[in-house]
Amino acid sequence: MIALSKIVKYIDKSLLIVTCLLFIFGLIMIFSSSNVTAYMKYAISPYNYFIKQGIFLFAGLIGFIIMMKFTTKFYGMSSWLLMIFLIASLIGLLIIGEAKNQAQSWYDLGFFSFQPSEFAKITSIIWLAHYYEEKREQLSSWTVSLFPIGVCAIIALLIFKQPDFGTTIIYTILIGLIFISQPIPKIMKRKLILGGIVAILLGGFLLVVSGKNLLLERQLERFNFLRPCDRLLDDGNQVCNGYIAINNGKIWGKGLGNSTQKYLYLPEPYTDFIFTVMIEELGCISGLILILAYIFVLYRILVIGRESYTNRGCTICYGVAIYIALHIFVNLLGIMGLMPMTGVPLPFISYGGSFTICLIAGLTAVQRVSVETGIRNELNLKPKIVKKRKK
């Protein structure tokens, strides 16, 4: 373990400050967007989701402190056990999991609903980083290179069977991009990418031809995402009301807490559609500032990855950056009606225990990479002491 002084010295302070501010802002927006729904729809305390999210953040803080004491190599070795546990958990969901929002994706643990598919994303990032670091001399072998892809394909299939189409897409893209970033021989990589493209095209063809057999009716409805306001009383309800919220906010917003669309027009405004409530209350200027903050966070993570002296550290950073970026793109494009709405939370802002803890874990791993790089650079820059020979 590394001394606390070293951790404080080499942690990326700008990234830490911005992410902490984003989490605090998200907590404020969760209270503002959830209090009406909690009281009017579920007849519970207006502070319910605010308090729960605060507890999730506190648990994430404890996890951050603990994780920072261990090396990324230790993360990697532990990830083997976590991958086995998560695969077993995903199989168990198909048998004893609790259905929520028409998907069997959660274990109800009382106060906390455990979602294995969310933890699978971060665990897979760390596991792939560790695997490709340990096997870097053997990546010319097809078996070695493709083994983790086969394991991740099993996880993707189990997530799809829940069914959770949105998470399946994000997980598949995440794993694919991490694989492409690895130092695999170019000839192999080109063949594998070509094979992946063919598989995607074939899968798309099967969805079109046999969609009713492969997807549930509610999943097929999501592909009808254009002109949602023409279906205001049907499946276009959420997106259209999101448009109304954005239009109400204009440039400067109606003021914090003054959203009208959160009054049950948006079913769960504190999760998928929290961005529209934020725009209605704080204006489009707040959305612009949030996007700039996202860009800064992604930039700092990529810089830390680029400066890492190991492929493991680089992969962890790039994987976490892809993880965050995919959630941002899928959520914002969905609420704008530019792609199907898949129930993906917005990083730092949306309510959710599993996602919040996983996001903090991913950011902690990035910060650990920064610390290890700083210590390595310090050791390399120290002048070597040459002992004088006695005459």
Side-chain angles (χ1 to χ4, degrees), residues 72-332:
T72 54
K73 187 174 183 178
F74 177 81
Y75 298 166
M77 291 186 294
S78 303
S79 66
W80 282 93
L81 290 175
L82 287 174
M83 288 291 283
I84 294 170
F85 169 74
L86 287 169
I87 291 173
S89 299
L90 289 167
I91 294 172
L93 274 176
L94 302 178
I95 304 170
I96 61 173
E98 179 187 359
K100 185 178 179 182
N101 294 332
Q102 300 181 348
Q104 205 160 318
S105 306
W106 290 266
Y107 286 103
D108 187 5
L109 304 179
F111 177 82
F112 177 70
S113 293
F114 172 58
Q115 186 179 5
S117 59
E118 198 60 57
F119 286 88
K121 297 173 190 174
I122 289 297
T123 303
S124 295
I125 291 171
I126 295 173
W127 180 68
L128 286 169
H130 176 73
Y131 179 89
Y132 282 118
E133 173 75 11
E134 294 295 309
K135 303 291 184 180
R136 60 186 178 278
E137 302 297 332
Q138 307 170 41
L139 294 182
S140 58
S141 166
W142 286 85
T143 304
V144 173
S145 297
L146 291 179
F147 169 73
I149 301 303
V151 173
C152 293
I154 293 172
I155 293 176
L157 179 61
L158 291 171
I159 296 172
F160 181 77
K161 291 291 290 182
Q162 292 179 359
D164 190 342
F165 193 50
T167 301
T168 304
I169 292 173
I170 287 181
Y171 183 79
T172 303
I173 295 174
L174 173 66
I175 299 305
L177 291 177
I178 290 176
F179 175 77
I180 291 172
S181 71
Q182 297 309 303
I184 296 169
K186 290 183 179 179
I187 296 176
M188 284 180 61
K189 191 176 289 188
R190 287 172 185 169
K191 291 180 178 179
L192 292 170
I193 292 174
L194 180 61
I197 293 173
V198 172
I200 291 171
L201 292 175
L202 180 60
F205 175 75
L206 290 174
L207 285 176
V208 172
V209 175
S210 307
K212 292 183 179 179
N213 297 324
L214 294 174
L215 299 175
L216 298 178
E217 184 178 351
R218 67 179 180 84
Q219 292 175 313
L220 289 170
E221 288 175 353
R222 289 177 179 173
F223 287 93
N224 184 23
F225 58 88
L226 300 176
R227 301 179 65 86
C229 292
D230 290 347
R231 308 183 307 282
L232 179 58
L233 300 179
D234 195 9
D235 57 314
N237 173 50
Q238 292 190 52
V239 176
C240 188
N241 279 298
Y243 288 167
I244 295 171
I246 294 172
N247 182 67
N248 289 344
K250 296 183 172 55
I251 299 297
W252 302 107
K254 301 171 68 175
L256 185 64
N258 293 330
S259 168
T260 55
Q261 292 305 106
K262 68 182 180 182
Y263 281 80
L264 307 187
Y265 292 103
L266 292 168
E268 293 182 343
Y270 48 90
T271 55
D272 309 345
F273 282 84
I274 195 169
F275 184 78
T276 62
V277 176
M278 183 190 80
I279 296 295
E280 185 177 14
E281 295 187 349
L282 302 177
C284 290
I285 190 69
S286 67
L288 177 61
I289 293 172
L290 179 63
I291 290 172
L292 291 175
Y294 282 146
I295 292 172
F296 177 81
V297 168
L298 294 173
Y299 168 74
R300 288 307 308 164
I301 293 174
L302 292 174
V303 168
I304 294 170
R306 185 186 62 193
E307 294 176 351
S308 175
Y309 62 93
T310 64
N311 183 62
R312 178 176 57 247
C314 181
T315 302
I316 287 173
C317 292
Y318 290 170
V320 172
I322 294 167
Y323 170 72
I324 294 172
L326 284 173
H327 278 80
I328 294 169
F329 288 135
V330 173
N331 179 276
L332 294 184

Side-chain angles (χ1 to χ4, degrees), residues 344-387:
V344 171
L346 187 64
F348 304 101
I349 310 299
S350 292
Y351 170 82
S354 294
F355 179 68
T356 298
I357 291 172
C358 287
L359 180 57
I360 293 175
L363 291 167
T364 304
V366 170
Q367 291 286 12
R368 181 66 204 197
V369 172
S370 176
V371 170
E372 291 178 5
T373 301
I375 292 172
R376 175 64 176 263
N377 292 338
E378 180 184 281
L379 293 174
N380 288 339
L381 292 174
K382 280 185 177 179
K384 294 181 179 179
I385 300 176
V386 180
K387 293 182 179 179

